[in-house]
Amino acid sequence: MPERPITHLRHVDIAVQDYEKQVAFYEEKWGLTKVGTDGDVTYFAAEGSPEQYVIRVRRSQDKRLDLVSYGAADRATVDALATRLARDGVKLVGGPDTLQTPGGGYGFRFFDVEGRTIEISTEVAARTHRKVEEREDIPVRLSHVVLNSPEPERLQAFYEKYLDFRLTDTNVHPKLGGIMWFMRCNPQHHSMAIARCPHVSLHHASFEMRGLDEYMRGSGRLMRDGVHKVWGPGRHRAGDNTFTYFHDPNGNTMEYTTELETLDEDTWHPHLYSTDDPETSDQWGTSNPMNDFVSREMFNDPDRGLFIAPPV
């Protein structure tokens, strides 16, 4: 198995109660491209990404994070990961097999230590994509996903042990201790982060824009359209990326970002960034202040799909 078995984040899949509004939001406001639907499941691609889709929406009575999908180096890596997880008692949804989702490929699904469904795949066919042009304020690709956890240190240890995610930086509160752990599977500052929260849920999914101008144009367009802005625009310290967070029609938080830091992993050492310093949250000082109200807006509803595999 390669030293780094996981190559990148592929897609994030959600289930929602108000399905039609969610589908319309991604297509008409967020700037994604609908690439397939069967009436109860819709797939969305980002124009600049070779992934078949970056987010999937499923109609459901229960709001949940259906799964998070990661790419693996090759079939041998997929098989080795499945064998290791099963040997250690991690529950697999099914063994490695041909995937029945757009683009095919080879992979398997399992439950992480808190019950989320995680997919590992390889050999998924690339989608024909294009260069996102100057001033085109649509997502280029899926950037990262952040997970809410009541036991973040335990979740961090699980991803480090089994998927070889590595800690990049940590945001620390003077009274609570660690509140955000930034984890990487490649030189990108983070493909996943873990946020301390009272319950298991999706914190947010983040989408990379072409550049600063496109990021600001997209953020402004959504604000003018009346989409509920949670926090931003600003620039974080950890990752040095820009941020504007919005609520989708079902109360999930979605982020526009750009310029996420790429690391020299041979020389990188994790930092502890204190939230006492306002530049930890926003180096520019342009966003609304990060406070308990903003934090609670990103707690989301408790996930109703833990240790239950999605039907698709």
Side-chain angles (χ1 to χ4, degrees):
M1 189 165 65
E3 181 185 358
R4 302 295 292 277
I6 302 302
T7 55
H8 66 291
L9 175 66
R10 285 197 187 279
H11 53 87
V12 174
D13 301 358
I14 61 173
V16 298
Q17 294 160 325
D18 201 332
Y19 175 75
E20 285 79 11
K21 282 188 178 180
Q22 191 75 25
V23 169
F25 171 80
Y26 284 133
E27 186 173 25
E28 298 170 11
K29 294 186 180 294
W30 202 247
L32 298 177
T33 300
K34 184 191 294 185
V35 291
T37 184
D38 67 3
D40 288 322
V41 178
T42 299
Y43 301 88
F44 288 95
E47 280 297 301
S49 171
E51 294 298 329
Q52 290 287 328
Y53 57 99
V54 294
I55 199 156
R56 187 189 78 181
V57 184
R58 181 175 64 85
R59 187 195 309 272
S60 174
Q61 293 301 309
D62 294 318
K63 177 182 173 182
R64 58 172 288 181
L65 174 63
D66 264 356
L67 67 84
V68 179
S69 177
Y70 293 103
D74 49 38
R75 284 193 174 220
T77 301
V78 169
D79 290 339
L81 281 172
T83 298
R84 184 183 179 198
L85 288 162
R87 183 186 64 224
D88 284 4
V90 176
K91 186 176 180 180
L92 304 188
V93 175
D97 201 350
T98 301
L99 300 180
Q100 301 303 312
T101 44
Y106 179 77
F108 73 101
R109 295 175 180 180
F110 65 94
F111 297 121
D112 74 12
V113 70
E114 292 184 335
R116 299 174 192 83
T117 303
I118 305 299
E119 180 181 89
I120 307 297
S121 62
T122 192
E123 298 179 2
V124 177
R127 173 180 176 270
T128 300
H129 56 292
R130 65 175 178 84
K131 179 182 178 182
V132 174
E133 299 297 334
E134 187 176 351
R135 295 195 172 190
E136 194 174 5
D137 58 348
I138 62 172
V140 174
R141 63 180 181 87
L142 179 65
S143 174
H144 57 270
V145 62
V146 179
L147 308 174
N148 282 326
S149 170
E151 298 181 280
E153 295 90 349
R154 179 170 175 247
L155 190 62
Q156 174 196 350
F158 179 89
Y159 280 90
E160 287 178 337
K161 178 178 181 179
Y162 290 110
L163 300 186
D164 197 30
F165 274 79
R166 300 179 185 181
L167 178 67
T168 305
D169 288 319
T170 308
N171 285 351
V172 180
H173 187 278
K175 294 181 180 178
L176 299 176
I179 58 170
M180 183 80 76
W181 290 257
F182 300 89
M183 311 286 292
R184 68 186 190 275
C185 59
N186 56 42
Q188 179 179 303
H189 183 275
H190 58 284
S191 294
M192 177 185 74
I194 303 167
R196 189 181 297 279
C197 178
H199 52 257
V200 175
S201 61
L202 174 67
H203 186 280
H204 73 268
S206 179
F207 296 79
E208 178 80 18
M209 307 297 275
R210 183 181 186 273
L212 279 175
D213 185 72
E214 292 76 19
Y215 153 77
M216 288 300 295
R217 287 175 181 274
S219 298
R221 171 175 50 78
L222 291 173
M223 287 187 278
R224 282 195 298 265
D225 283 351
V227 178
H228 175 62
K229 179 177 71 71
V230 178
W231 190 29
R235 184 186 283 275
H236 292 312
R237 173 167 283 163
D240 200 35
N241 56 305
T242 62
F243 66 90
T244 315
Y245 299 91
F246 297 91
H247 272 171
D248 70 22
N250 285 273
N252 299 298
T253 302
M254 299 290 149
E255 179 189 28
Y256 275 168
T257 191
T258 197
E259 298 188 344
L260 182 64
E261 189 172 8
T262 301
L263 311 180
D264 178 351
E265 293 196 273
D266 291 335
T267 60
W268 187 264
H269 296 283
H271 303 85
L272 295 176
Y273 292 126
S274 174
T275 57
D276 265 356
D277 183 346
E279 289 197 8
T280 293
S281 296
D282 179 14
Q283 296 182 67
W284 289 342
T286 54
S287 66
N288 48 312
M290 166 49 74
N291 52 33
D292 289 343
F293 176 76
V294 171
S295 293
R296 286 194 297 271
E297 286 206 285
M298 297 190 193
F299 280 176
N300 212 333
D301 303 310
D303 197 308
R304 301 301 181 190
L306 302 179
F307 293 105
I308 303 170
V312 181

